[in-house]
Amino acid sequence: MAYKYLNRSAVLEHLQEGQTINIDEYIEKMQFFKKYGNCQGIYITDSRYIEYAEIGLHYFKYDTLIKFFEDFKQRNHTKRILITFNKNHRLQCEPVQD
């Protein structure tokens, strides 16, 4: 008996300012891509971003972002966050209540 191949693709979408995410789910995805993917990090765009330009484009390694999200989750006791940047264009998040 011949079996068909099972194919599954997984995508880790880049984040953007104003997006709300579930911290646990996103950390799990980043850990998967860190282990099995070809890249070492992900981009997050802020409100200044223009396509094909470097302004407003921020690159974070998975380890850095995982630690940032885990620390944020512990400090704020929340599972969902809103991606924001401060006036100096540094990543900053806000807790979102369900």
Side-chain angles (χ1 to χ4, degrees):
M1 174 181 259
Y3 293 99
K4 292 183 178 181
Y5 293 106
L6 296 177
N7 291 328
R8 186 74 173 161
S9 62
V11 177
L12 182 63
E13 297 290 333
H14 296 294
L15 297 174
Q16 59 188 2
E17 187 172 17
Q19 185 176 1
T20 301
I21 63 167
N22 180 309
I23 296 173
D24 294 329
E25 288 177 8
Y26 208 80
I27 287 173
E28 187 176 336
K29 287 180 183 180
M30 286 190 294
Q31 289 170 336
F32 175 84
F33 277 86
K34 177 184 167 195
K35 185 173 183 179
Y36 298 109
N38 295 333
C39 60
Q40 299 296 315
I42 190 167
Y43 286 99
I44 301 178
T45 57
D46 67 25
S47 59
R48 304 171 302 141
Y49 177 67
I50 299 171
E51 193 171 6
Y52 305 113
E54 291 185 20
I55 295 173
L57 187 62
H58 308 271
Y59 183 79
F60 296 91
K61 289 193 172 189
Y62 291 130
D63 289 332
T64 304
L65 210 50
I66 289 169
K67 184 173 179 356
F68 179 83
F69 285 158
E70 286 175 342
D71 291 347
F72 187 88
K73 181 182 170 184
Q74 282 187 329
R75 281 193 319 269
N76 295 287
H77 307 289
T78 186
K79 289 187 175 190
R80 296 174 46 85
I81 58 172
L82 176 69
I83 304 295
T84 59
F85 286 84
N86 65 17
K87 65 180 181 176
N88 295 323
H89 311 295
R90 292 183 57 113
L91 180 62
Q92 175 180 319
C93 297
E94 296 177 16
V96 174
Q97 300 301 322
D98 292 330

